[in-house]
Amino acid sequence: VNSYALRAEKVGELKAALVTQKKSQKATEASFRATHFLIKKKKAFSDGEVVKEAMLIIANIALKDEKNGTDLISTLSDVQLEASAMARRVSAMSGNLVDQLDQDLVKCRWFSIQCDESVDSSSTAQLLVFIRMVFEDFSTREELLTLLPLKTTTRGDDIYNMVKEFFVQKKVPLGKLVVVTTDGAPAMIGRHTGFIAHCKGDPDFPKFLHYHCIIHQQALCAKVIGFGHVMTPFLKIINNIHSKAKQHRIFKVLLEEMSAEYGDLLLHTEIRWLSRGRVLLRFLSLLGEIKEFRQSKGEDVSLLEDTEWTLDLAFLTDITGKLNHLNCELQGKGQTVVDMISAVNAFKAKMNAFSADLQRKRVLHVPSVQSVLKDNASASETFDKVAEKYYEVINRLGQEFENSFNLNQLESCVSFISNPFMDGDTTCFAEQLSATFNLDAGQVEMEIITFQNDLHLKAYQAAPNFWCLFDTEKYSGVCTAAMKVASLFGSTYLCESAFSDMNFIKNKHRTRLTDAHLKDSLTVAVSSYTPDYNTLVNSMQCQSSH
């Protein structure tokens, strides 16, 4: 009897321990999942305690009279969300995500990187490196590779040394590198001492391509428009209205009383890609209200009443609006080089259409100018005088795009990979692919001739997964070229976007956030991988909250 009682007691203890262990594991997994959600929203570590407190308040009200309500509330109270626990969870999740990335780096066939540098809220220069990998099935993945703090100077050799040290430590397979995309800073693209120059001079790096971010090039091209006679007074008027709180309040009340289209003016920020177009459009829409406001203060409004200046303002609004539209087309995660080159070529073709339209003194493609002409009967004569000026501006912009976007060799390769059955000289195609991607021209030419006469492949040439149908051994050359094209970055958009996330995470209220915690937080915030919660929970000693 005593033996039976002892066994029953021991079984009861083991059952209770198992229940406690399962409860603790659930609380730990909940802690990881809640932390992952909060960091994805770029919240501070200390916000976890606030969330937990709010959660317990809700639970105590909603669950106290429910069956097992006390147990549920007890389980919630065991979830660790204090700042130190969240920091540990973020570090563990970051490590897990990096492990998944390392596994993909081994599996991928080729990859490209994009690099950019910016300063955080504590004046530390941070170098962001993103990677785009292409796999055997031609699928791609874009991920944050690393965030590297530059403690002192940010010269080309500093960036190179940091990146090379990281590659060596992580054993990154450099032989798979295809393209490095950067902004146009001298530290990055300097001919002799830039980051790219150092990499090209390093025998550990393969022969790789280098491209200047297409979005940055587009923004630089836009500067040739000029129109300082419009921008200078325009910015002066906006800054004057915003300069004094009382004056700004009165202006907003006036807009409300006049039932204006917008409730306020926007401020112009030169470094923001889409700033000028939006500010100009808002200003032009509120031009009548601005004129009345300045008149009520006894200020000079002769410029705002000048028909030619108003037409110039409208034209500048239209052309920057078109540049903004192009900019939006170039932005976004997952944008391929095919998409970006197509958008740029379409814009250049549109510039020719706009130019021809203005040469005939028509305003089909400039709606703001059209609106000014419609509202002001005397503006037609003035437009006839300035149409030639607008025509020259459009031509100058188009020419700048032609000169700056020197992607002819890449474009021909991308065009062929996008449409491999296109008419043309197979020898020329083979030579271009081989020169761009370090392939054997004779082998590639034979492969092109072979697959272009393959009736089975011809039947599926419109399939979205067309290149997956190829035998990668039989067509190793063209498949390699197709994979390398799929791996290309066309811009540093991911870096620019991540810098916004970085500044949100390490803001003026969190300047003491360490580089390690910043890196871990940013990795968790921007990664498209999902943490392996089972592995994370099993790797930790499960214990209830203090």
Side-chain angles (χ1 to χ4, degrees):
V1 177
N2 290 335
S3 175
Y4 175 79
L6 286 172
R7 283 200 301 271
E9 183 180 351
K10 189 63 176 177
V11 168
E13 289 176 358
L14 290 173
K15 283 184 177 179
L18 182 61
V19 169
T20 302
Q21 183 183 3
K22 286 184 177 179
K23 180 181 176 183
S24 184
Q25 287 178 331
K26 285 183 178 180
T28 303
E29 183 178 346
S31 175
F32 271 111
R33 289 183 179 273
T35 300
H36 186 233
F37 172 78
L38 290 171
I39 298 302
K40 277 286 187 184
K41 300 296 183 182
K42 276 79 75 177
K43 298 300 181 182
F45 298 151
S46 56
D47 285 356
E49 296 181 67
V50 178
V51 170
K52 181 177 178 179
E53 187 175 347
M55 188 168 58
L56 287 172
I57 290 172
I58 294 170
N60 278 307
I61 299 299
L63 301 176
K64 65 178 181 180
D65 297 327
E66 297 292 327
K67 184 181 179 181
N68 299 326
T70 303
D71 291 338
L72 291 172
I73 293 170
S74 175
T75 301
L76 288 176
S77 65
D78 287 341
V79 177
Q80 294 184 339
L81 286 178
E82 61 271 15
S84 58
M86 277 193 62
R88 293 195 301 271
R89 302 286 187 263
V90 170
S91 179
M93 282 190 289
S94 175
N96 181 263
L97 297 174
V98 169
D99 288 343
Q100 294 183 51
L101 174 59
D102 290 343
Q103 291 171 16
D104 277 348
L105 261 174
V106 173
K107 291 189 295 183
C108 77
R109 288 294 305 275
W110 304 99
F111 69 80
S112 296
I113 61 172
Q114 59 173 263
C115 312
D116 204 356
E117 173 262 325
S118 187
V119 178
D120 65 23
S121 59
S122 62
S123 300
T124 300
Q126 302 282 357
L127 178 72
L128 267 173
V129 184
F130 272 84
I131 187 168
R132 180 182 173 94
M133 300 170 285
V134 61
F135 300 93
E136 194 73 38
D137 61 354
F138 288 86
S139 62
T140 59
R141 186 158 207 141
E142 296 176 349
E143 292 294 334
L144 171 64
L145 183 60
T146 188
L147 178 68
L148 301 171
L150 301 167
K151 294 295 186 181
T152 53
T153 54
T154 58
R155 298 170 302 189
D157 56 339
D158 299 314
I159 296 172
Y160 162 74
N161 290 331
M162 288 292 291
V163 171
K164 180 65 184 296
E165 182 182 354
F166 170 79
F167 284 165
V168 171
Q169 286 180 351
K170 296 292 291 183
K171 298 180 180 178
V172 174
L174 279 176
K176 299 178 179 180
L177 178 63
V178 180
V179 168
V180 178
T181 305
T182 65
D183 64 2
M188 287 291 183
I189 63 171
R191 181 174 298 180
H192 302 294
T193 59
F195 165 65
I196 297 298
H198 283 292
C199 292
K200 287 186 177 292
D202 187 338
D204 291 341
F205 280 79
K207 185 179 179 182
F208 63 89
L209 301 172
H210 162 247
Y211 291 108
H212 182 187
C213 169
I214 290 177
I215 301 179
H216 278 92
Q217 289 188 68
Q218 182 263 336
L220 290 173
C221 287
K223 292 183 180 295
V224 303
I225 295 174
F227 272 56
H229 69 287
V230 173
M231 289 299 297
T232 300
F234 150 77
L235 292 174
K236 187 176 179 181
I237 291 170
I238 290 178
N239 292 335
N240 177 261
I241 291 173
H242 278 270
S243 62
K244 297 177 182 177
K246 178 183 176 182
Q247 184 167 268
H248 189 201
R249 290 196 301 272
I250 294 172
F251 177 69
K252 289 196 290 185
V253 169
L254 175 66
L255 294 181
E256 187 177 348
E257 290 175 349
M258 297 180 71
S259 301
E261 186 176 355
Y262 300 101
D264 198 4
L265 286 170
L266 296 174
L267 284 169
H268 175 60
T269 306
E270 185 66 32
I271 62 170
R272 293 187 183 274
W273 284 328
L274 303 180
S275 176
R276 186 163 72 163
R278 291 172 176 168
V279 176
L280 281 165
L281 182 61
R282 180 72 61 91
F283 186 91
L284 184 63
S285 300
L286 298 176
L287 190 61
E289 290 81 358
I290 294 169
K291 191 187 304 180
E292 184 166 329
F293 176 71
R294 289 177 66 82
Q295 280 178 329
S296 68
K297 295 180 62 196
E299 295 179 359
D300 181 24
V301 294
S302 58
L303 184 66
L304 300 179
E305 293 176 338
D306 185 274
T307 304
E308 184 174 342
W309 189 86
T310 305
L311 282 170
D312 286 351
L313 173 65
F315 173 75
L316 187 60
T317 300
D318 286 327
I319 199 64
T320 51
K322 297 180 190 307
L323 286 164
N324 281 4
H325 180 72
L326 171 62
N327 203 296
C328 289
E329 287 186 311
L330 297 175
Q331 293 184 43
K333 189 173 183 179
Q335 281 276 34
T336 65
V337 169
V338 177
D339 298 328
M340 302 185 82
I341 291 178
S342 300
V344 171
N345 286 344
F347 183 80
K348 289 191 287 189
K350 289 173 185 176
M351 286 295 100
N352 293 332
F354 300 156
S355 175
D357 193 52
L358 285 168
Q359 194 172 25
R360 293 193 289 268
K361 293 184 172 54
R362 297 196 305 172
V363 290
L364 294 177
H365 305 293
V366 279
S368 297
V369 172
Q370 199 174 31
S371 179
V372 171
L373 292 174
K374 184 179 178 181
D375 295 340
N376 189 342
S378 63
S380 297
E381 293 181 9
T382 307
F383 176 74
D384 290 340
K385 298 176 185 176
V386 297
E388 184 67 25
K389 177 174 66 174
Y390 300 159
Y391 167 74
E392 290 174 0
V393 170
I394 294 289
N395 282 348
R396 188 164 67 244
L397 181 62
Q399 190 59 50
E400 187 68 18
F401 268 77
E402 289 289 345
N403 296 339
S404 296
F405 288 93
N406 187 19
L407 299 171
N408 294 335
Q409 184 178 358
L410 178 62
E411 184 178 341
S412 60
C413 295
V414 168
S415 297
F416 177 79
I417 297 301
S418 300
N419 182 14
F421 290 96
M422 65 192 299
D423 294 331
D425 185 354
T426 55
T427 303
C428 181
F429 291 146
E431 288 176 351
Q432 289 172 338
L433 290 172
S434 303
T436 305
F437 299 119
N438 306 318
L439 303 171
D440 184 312
Q443 176 190 341
V444 171
E445 183 177 8
M446 292 300 101
E447 290 178 9
I448 292 173
I449 293 172
T450 303
F451 81 70
Q452 285 189 340
N453 289 280
D454 188 316
L455 297 178
H456 175 72
L457 289 174
K458 275 187 175 181
Y460 290 95
Q461 61 181 302
N465 60 340
F466 173 72
W467 284 102
C468 296
L469 303 175
F470 276 67
D471 183 335
T472 54
E473 292 185 6
K474 181 179 179 181
Y475 300 108
S476 59
V478 290
C479 284
T480 296
M483 285 183 182
K484 287 187 174 184
V485 167
S487 76
L488 299 184
F489 273 126
S491 73
T492 57
Y493 169 82
L494 294 179
C495 288
E496 298 288 352
S497 177
F499 281 134
S500 297
D501 294 330
M502 180 187 77
N503 291 327
F504 202 98
I505 292 169
K506 189 174 180 178
N507 53 48
K508 64 181 181 180
H509 303 295
R510 301 181 73 192
T511 55
R512 294 170 60 190
L513 192 69
T514 65
D515 290 327
H517 281 154
L518 175 60
K519 181 180 177 181
D520 290 339
S521 297
L522 190 63
T523 299
V524 174
V526 305
S527 177
S528 63
Y529 291 110
T530 301
D532 186 342
Y533 294 111
N534 288 332
T535 301
L536 289 167
V537 171
N538 292 333
S539 68
M540 299 195 66
Q541 180 184 1
C542 299
Q543 54 185 343
S544 60
S545 178
H546 298 291

